[in-house]
Amino acid sequence: MLHVAVVGSGPSGVYTAQSLVQQDPEVRVDVLDRLPCPYGLVRYGVAPDHEKIKSLQNNLRTVMEHERIRFLGGVQVGAGGVSPARLRELYHAVVYCVGAATDRHLGVPGEQLPGSWSATEFVSWYSAHPDAVAEEFVRGARTAVVIGVGNVAVDVTRMLARGTTELSPTDMPQAALTALAASKVGEIHMVGRRGPSQARFTTKELRELGALPDTEVVVDEAELALDPEYVDPSGLPAAQRRNVEVLRGWAATPPRDAPRRIRLRFFLRPVELLAEGGRVGAVRFERTVPDGRGGVTGSGRYEDIEAQLVLRSVGYRGVPLAGLPFDASTGTVPHLAGRVLRDEAVSPGEYVAGWIKRGPTGVIGTNRPCAKETVTSVLEDAPGLVRREVPEDALPALRADGVAPVEWTGWLAIERAEAELGASLGRGVVKLPDWQSLLAAVHRGAL
């Protein structure tokens, strides 16, 4: 029997576990996660109003309830927890699916001013991630600037423009719902440094902005026309062509009076966040122009946009995990077909899948072929891996080391507690927002 630890219970980890047990009846998998809750970014990254995508949890649940897959939550791997070397003693193979846990920075003056946040921090807050900062991001803000034109930027823009009626049925934590319900943000600028033909959002997400009640979407035709591909988008890939068509429609729509306004801006590069009263008060942008090679260059012309809230959404980045090699230039673990490389040589029994393997690219489904490639490598190596003796069950050894894993029954107790909380608030399921409430639910479930 091949004993495998998969570190990370997001889509890449779950798909890795699924592929392992499907392809080999002699494999047992422990899925370890730092959090007491499974599903990774499906639980803590998908916007609460995207019920269809969030329903993917049902598919992931089916995998996690397989008889040869076991969930062990609340297990820190790396610094301050179980080391990779210790995992190698307990399992024949370890697959790291730890994602890209931090965000990219703008690298401009004023970025650390109060009121300036990463979109990741904002998403964690309204998604009830237990590590989220306990901030009411929107307090005192009238105007927000979202820097970036990908799907996460669209998500946070949409959340800022949503009303209580639309958010109350979601599983958003009560504190975030209360804060957003009281929000005075009436104008949101979503800004990209390049043109509409190079924006990273999907057309479906983009169109959702135009469907928001009591919200006007404003696009400047002259700004769009700076993009050479905008005049004749016929040569663009289908997704970008559709985006341009949607933007073209909004640009041609006469202005109307609405309580909220979303302005989509292009060819503006942030160069400084300006302070007012000790916190962010505006963002200074430089107008960019196409350089003829697919990029942009500065024009030397500047524009200041008022903002009491700034959210940067310019990408995720992997972080080093103590005990594993790390390529700082790519934010990934060096590998060969998923096999971890140490000093350019394959490290037996150590593997990667997901964003820590390939970088933060693709959609949820992209993790399937990525996981399959890694699992192919694991099973090719299996005859040699199983020669090494490991415990029949790693759980007693982990407990002896002082680790107290949250098993699947503990997670089910959290689910019950969230349903009870929602019922008490007259809502549906409402997420528990912090470590204390999550672990208290686990404890009550064990009584």
Side-chain angles (χ1 to χ4, degrees):
M1 182 72 75
L2 180 70
H3 296 272
V4 181
V6 171
V7 181
S9 66
S12 64
V14 176
Y15 293 150
T16 297
Q18 181 182 39
S19 188
L20 281 164
V21 298
Q22 283 180 341
Q23 294 189 49
D24 191 332
E26 294 298 311
V27 175
R28 299 188 74 87
V29 182
D30 282 348
V31 179
L32 281 56
D33 202 290
R34 184 177 68 86
L35 301 177
C37 310
Y39 312 138
L41 282 181
V42 175
R43 175 174 167 89
Y44 289 120
V46 174
D49 62 340
H50 274 179
E51 286 299 324
K52 186 173 181 180
I53 303 176
K54 288 175 71 67
S55 68
L56 178 62
Q57 290 188 22
N58 296 328
N59 299 342
L60 301 181
R61 171 193 292 274
T62 300
V63 176
M64 294 296 288
E65 291 181 336
H66 190 283
E67 62 182 2
R68 287 185 283 119
I69 295 175
R70 178 171 60 180
F71 175 66
L72 298 177
V75 179
Q76 174 76 35
V77 174
V82 185
S83 70
R86 178 58 171 155
L87 287 180
R88 286 286 290 116
E89 294 173 355
L90 300 178
Y91 296 91
H92 293 118
V94 184
V95 186
Y96 293 92
C97 305
V98 292
T102 191
D103 59 278
R104 295 182 183 276
H105 289 258
L106 299 173
V108 301
E111 187 171 7
Q112 303 306 319
L113 282 170
S116 168
W117 304 89
S118 73
T120 306
E121 291 170 308
F122 186 58
V123 170
S124 292
W125 172 69
Y126 69 59
S127 296
H129 194 292
D131 292 338
V133 291
E135 287 283 344
E136 291 187 8
F137 289 78
V138 295
R139 181 187 294 166
R142 304 178 305 278
T143 302
V145 167
V146 178
I147 300 173
V149 283
N151 278 346
V152 175
V154 176
D155 278 349
V156 299
T157 296
R158 196 179 64 256
M159 286 297 102
L160 286 169
R162 281 282 193 207
T164 311
T165 303
E166 302 103 70
L167 293 176
S168 185
T170 73
D171 62 5
M172 178 179 285
Q174 188 64 29
L177 176 64
T178 301
L180 289 172
S183 169
K184 302 300 182 185
V185 174
E187 187 142 330
I188 307 155
H189 299 257
M190 189 169 75
V191 188
R193 64 185 177 88
R194 297 194 292 179
S197 71
Q198 296 167 309
R200 297 297 185 91
F201 41 62
T202 59
T203 309
K204 180 180 180 295
E205 292 255 5
L206 180 63
R207 284 182 175 139
E208 287 180 348
L209 296 180
L212 292 169
D214 302 320
T215 302
E216 179 188 23
V217 179
V218 179
V219 185
D220 185 346
E221 177 81 34
E223 207 162 72
L224 299 181
L226 293 171
D227 189 337
E229 304 289 352
Y230 177 75
V231 179
D232 180 14
S234 59
L236 288 172
Q240 282 86 348
R241 187 172 65 251
R242 289 192 296 268
N243 286 344
V244 168
E245 290 168 355
V246 172
L247 294 167
R248 192 189 297 274
W250 286 335
T253 302
R256 61 185 178 88
D257 190 24
R260 288 182 294 272
R261 185 173 292 107
I262 295 172
R263 295 185 182 274
L264 300 184
R265 305 294 308 273
F266 297 94
F267 292 109
L268 291 171
R269 176 169 62 196
V271 294
E272 186 177 0
L273 273 61
L274 306 175
E276 181 180 310
R279 55 182 295 115
V280 67
V283 184
R284 178 160 293 166
F285 291 92
E286 180 182 17
R287 168 67 66 190
T288 61
V289 293
D291 63 6
R293 300 184 301 274
V296 292
T297 186
S299 68
R301 292 181 287 118
Y302 298 89
E303 175 182 346
D304 293 352
I305 298 178
E306 176 193 349
Q308 297 79 38
L309 171 64
V310 177
L311 299 173
R312 66 177 182 273
S313 180
V314 291
Y316 293 94
R317 182 172 176 79
V319 296
L321 192 151
L324 274 188
F326 187 74
D327 183 343
S329 65
T330 61
T332 61
V333 171
H335 71 94
L336 178 65
R339 297 177 175 94
V340 171
L341 297 176
R342 292 182 181 270
D343 299 322
E344 300 185 354
V346 169
S347 177
E350 293 187 307
Y351 304 85
V352 284
W355 280 1
I356 200 64
K357 170 187 174 185
R358 67 180 192 274
T361 60
V363 295
I364 290 173
T366 312
N367 289 293
R368 283 192 180 276
C370 175
K372 188 174 181 180
E373 179 191 54
T374 296
V375 168
T376 298
S377 295
V378 173
L379 296 181
E380 285 176 355
D381 300 344
L385 297 174
V386 294
R387 295 195 189 108
R388 190 169 54 84
E389 280 195 28
V390 300
E392 183 62 29
D393 184 355
L395 187 53
L398 288 170
R399 286 178 171 150
D401 290 345
V403 179
V406 175
E407 297 186 63
W408 193 249
T409 53
W411 159 240
L412 296 180
I414 290 172
E415 284 194 315
R416 289 194 300 274
E418 292 183 336
E420 291 165 2
L421 174 60
S424 72
L425 295 169
R427 299 172 57 194
V429 170
V430 173
K431 286 182 182 173
L432 298 173
D434 53 56
W435 281 97
Q436 182 178 355
S437 57
L438 289 167
L439 295 178
V442 172
H443 178 71
R444 287 196 303 273
L447 296 180

